Amino acid sequence: MKYVILLCDGMADTPNAALGGKTPMEAADKPCMDQLAHEAEIGMVRTVQQGMSPGSDVANLTVLGYDTRECYTGRSPLEAANIGIELAPDDVALRCNLVTLSGEEKYAQKRLTDYCAGDIHTGQAAPLIARLQSSFGGGEFDFYTGTAYRHCLVWHHGKSALGRVTPPHDITGQVIGPYLPLHPDAAPLLSMMEKSVELLQDQKTANAIWLWGQGSRPRLSDFYERTGKRGSVISAVDLIKGIGRLSGMRVYDVPGATGYIDTNFEGKRDAALQELKEGQDFVYIHVEAPDECGHRGEAENKVTAIEQIDRLILSPLVEELKKMGEFHLLILPDHPTPLAIRTHSSDPVPYLLYRSEKSTKGVGCFTEASGLSTGRFVEEGRTLIDQLW
């Protein structure tokens, strides 16, 4: 028996005027998902526990069966694990986004015009992170290159109770003043954020940094010890790969995997199949593209991302899984990323659970509405993975 979770990050949405009043899942031509829905268990699941922020960190941990109320210590420490950073017990890790700010003279009056610095590539970002390290690092702080616009700051002997620290993708187009970290303990962070504008003034897009997602060294139980399944993680982003490493799973780095709509969809599919053929019981295929399109308000691109997942990953994957024997397949988003708000929401998401050896009376298609229509609802999202086995 083989087990697969296909996690379509941020795929769920709300009806959108640009799509004729449909959601991207409704507008997308996704014949494989919809065909599977005819014989699969369809329902809704709450992936963000009450009182927690609807981030991909919390939601993906939940999908993998972890109780985030017990294990979650912050987003950036999970990313740090994939970068190879060994956090000391009193270290605090923070996400360091390269961002684009507008040109107003006073820092607090600037607008955050792009949370991903023009979709900067890692090769372009690395020298800028080195510049930040040279200026601010080497003592209390150290900067580390991650992937694309997503990087890491480690605050040695740092403080994590910093009050509200807003993710930059939540404030695209807005004046940054009301969202700056103003807690007294965050003063050195705010100083580096402000000074980064001068340090990066020669850059057109990556002209500032934004620090957020702070947390201390995490502890995740071993996935194999918890489930008895040998697992692999396939993703373009440090966050998901870090979860994989911390939980003892194998992490596969796919060449050309970007986290956006130009990612190597076929490479992710081939990596998943290779892992299964080499003896792994379980693969977690994470595709970031729908989420990024949601953050950018790109309706047509979000539809295209879903169609690419269906055509380039899911359809060939299912055909190959059938050749291997029996398999169970779970498809779902981690959270909604509605185009209308361009950030995450904590609403429940639809799921599709297909078992090759057991035909289930399903529904005609896989959408948010079809998930609601069945009346199935998994309140404790961390228990959904138990149904996969």
Side-chain angles (χ1 to χ4, degrees), residues 17 60 81 91 94 186 191-192 200 212 254 258 311 363 368 376:
N60 279 274
D91 282 346
L94 296 102
S191 176
M192 284 189 289
L200 301 174
W212 63 287
V254 177
T258 66
R311 181 171 65 88
V363 295
E368 300 88 350
R376 294 190 186 95

Side-chain angles (χ1 to χ4, degrees), residues 35-42 353-363 376:
Q35 181 59 43
L36 290 173
H38 284 85
E39 302 179 66
E41 176 184 313
I42 307 293
L353 177 56
Y354 176 82
R355 301 176 179 90
S356 64
E357 82 287 3
K358 180 182 178 182
S359 180
T360 302
K361 185 178 180 180
V363 295
R376 294 190 186 95

Side-chain angles (χ1 to χ4, degrees), residues 3 5-6 112 127 130 157 165-166 188 201 278 296 300 307 340-341 365:
Y3 307 92
I5 292 180
L6 177 56
L112 196 147
H157 315 295
V165 183
T166 304
Q201 62 181 321
E278 290 183 355
R296 303 176 195 209
E300 293 299 330
E307 293 176 343
I341 61 174
C365 60

